[in-house]
Amino acid sequence: MVASEHDLELVAVTKRYGSTLAVDAVSHKFKPDSYTCLLGPSGCGKSSTLRMIAGHESVTEGAILLGGRDISQLQPAKRGTAMMFQNYALFPHLSVLDNVAFSQKMKGIEKDQRHKSAGEMLELVDLTSLSDRMPDQLSGGQQQRVALARALITRPQVLLLDEPLSALDPFLRIRMRSELRKLQKELGIGFLHVTHGQDEALALADEIIVMNNAVIEQAGSAREVFNTPKTEFVAKFIGGHNVIALPEGAVAVRADVVKPTQADAGRVNASVVAVEYQGTHVSILTKVIGDHEVTAIVPDAAFFANPFNPGDQIGLTWDQEDQHRLSA
């Protein structure tokens, strides 16, 4: 099959900083024209991977292919990618319109033409009315949309986003998630978004790539990664799961399928450590044999019909089909 211009692939990509291995021979073919989240803890290699794709970090070994051509030695502007930085990096002395048009000015495009193109981008991100403002006259969400428009004016084949929501307050972060998702679908290009926020990745991604210790630990659809984590790390990092050691091996069990019952009436016995009311549900933190923590998420009505308190001895049970065997 001939590669389309939007196909992005990493081939045994490695990044070393001196003796430190930041990315270890990572290979992955990204789903074309989809929203992909690189998810993982600080230091896992996700930002180094993004910056190598963008051309802001050199590749120690391996190749980065876009549309079937190796772009790993090209200048950032020649790659067909565009990067939106975490701090937005707007020019404080330029208006919104001139910030968006800046890359076209550097290419020598006439003022009328670059302002027309910048105006189209501002319309796309719903900022036409603010085109004459300076960056310090904008809210955080507005600055983010200016940075988006500035990245998109280059008509990239893939847009790279480095933790683009981290500087926003929680309410705006949720609103901007839906705007990013809508924009990606409208443009029909690939978005590759680095985050350490599990909720963010689950809300946005067609594909989640979980990185840990410089390698890809698991990749798949958001639902697949959440429901069938392959390793203990993924089960714990993606959230919402318990890792429980059974005689037949370690399994992952979602917290919302664990049912508290009377002592000696479940699969395992447990001691209640803490009870947290969370509105629609109640979170019951317990300890089982070996001091392992197991959480049960119970609908509020079910909990208050049969409440438990810290110190109570209870049983925990779940259906066999709800436990997922971990490979490591």
Side-chain angles (χ1 to χ4, degrees):
M1 185 183 292
V2 177
S4 84
E5 65 170 3
H6 295 171
D7 285 351
L8 176 65
E9 184 175 5
L10 306 180
V11 182
V13 171
T14 295
K15 178 63 183 178
R16 292 190 186 89
Y17 299 98
S19 60
T20 301
L21 184 63
V23 180
D24 186 6
V26 164
S27 293
H28 186 75
K29 189 165 188 176
F30 295 85
K31 295 185 184 304
D33 305 338
S34 65
Y35 206 118
T36 304
C37 281
L38 273 175
L39 175 68
S42 296
C44 71
K46 60 187 187 298
S47 289
S48 292
T49 299
L50 192 79
R51 290 178 66 80
M52 283 191 287
I53 295 169
H56 299 301
E57 293 283 0
S58 61
V59 174
T60 307
E61 293 165 20
I64 299 168
L65 307 180
L66 182 57
R69 67 180 185 134
D70 187 349
I71 64 169
S72 52
Q73 303 303 318
L74 299 180
Q75 292 295 314
K78 306 282 190 187
R79 293 188 172 214
T81 62
M83 181 90 153
M84 181 178 155
F85 295 96
Q86 187 174 354
N87 62 1
Y88 312 146
L90 301 179
F91 298 112
H93 61 289
L94 296 181
S95 69
V96 164
L97 188 69
D98 286 329
N99 259 286
V100 176
F102 185 77
S103 65
Q104 295 205 328
K105 183 179 182 180
M106 291 297 97
K107 291 177 181 174
I109 294 172
E110 291 293 324
K111 184 176 182 179
D112 287 350
Q113 181 57 44
R114 67 178 185 258
H115 277 184
K116 181 174 181 289
S117 298
E120 290 169 357
M121 290 299 111
L122 288 173
E123 188 176 347
L124 185 68
V125 297
D126 198 24
L127 282 181
T128 303
S129 63
L130 303 182
S131 63
D132 293 333
R133 289 201 184 175
M134 305 302 279
D136 64 1
Q137 297 173 306
L138 304 177
S139 69
Q142 289 164 347
Q143 288 183 26
Q144 188 206 48
R145 298 212 299 272
V146 175
L148 260 175
R150 189 178 61 183
L152 291 170
I153 200 170
T154 64
R155 305 286 179 182
Q157 293 155 253
V158 178
L159 179 65
L160 309 172
L161 304 105
D162 184 13
E163 301 204 31
L165 306 179
S166 61
L168 304 178
D169 65 61
F171 177 78
L172 187 55
R173 197 176 300 149
I174 291 170
R175 189 176 133 208
M176 289 305 299
R177 285 197 317 223
S178 63
E179 290 196 16
L180 282 173
R181 180 78 181 155
K182 177 170 170 278
L183 192 59
Q184 187 271 322
K185 292 305 174 195
E186 285 177 0
L187 293 169
I189 64 173
F191 278 32
L192 180 53
H193 175 136
V194 159
T195 180
H196 58 264
Q198 298 89 334
D199 290 350
E200 197 171 293
L202 290 169
L204 283 166
D206 298 307
E207 181 181 36
I208 292 177
I209 299 169
V210 184
M211 291 191 71
N212 184 37
N213 291 333
V215 299
I216 293 174
E217 192 107 354
Q218 185 171 351
S221 71
R223 190 159 188 249
E224 178 188 337
V225 171
F226 184 79
N227 282 315
T228 55
K230 289 183 177 177
T231 66
E232 181 174 343
F233 171 81
V234 175
K236 288 182 174 178
F237 190 80
I238 203 74
H241 287 80
N242 298 293
V243 175
I244 304 172
L246 298 177
E248 62 267 32
V251 297
V253 184
R254 277 173 39 171
D256 61 326
V257 302
V258 176
K259 305 175 188 77
T261 185
Q262 301 305 313
D264 299 319
R267 287 174 174 262
V268 294
N269 286 329
S271 173
V272 177
V273 174
V275 175
E276 285 189 356
Y277 175 66
Q278 297 177 347
T280 58
H281 60 271
V282 176
S283 174
I284 306 169
L285 177 64
T286 73
K287 281 197 175 175
V288 299
I289 294 170
D291 266 357
H292 295 297
E293 292 185 345
V294 176
T295 298
I297 301 291
V298 182
D300 70 322
F303 176 82
F304 287 109
N306 185 22
F308 299 102
N309 296 298
D312 287 352
Q313 301 301 306
I314 63 173
L316 298 173
T317 193
W318 56 89
D319 295 336
Q320 180 72 24
E321 60 266 26
D322 287 330
Q323 70 180 41
H324 175 69
R325 189 78 174 266
L326 298 172
S327 62

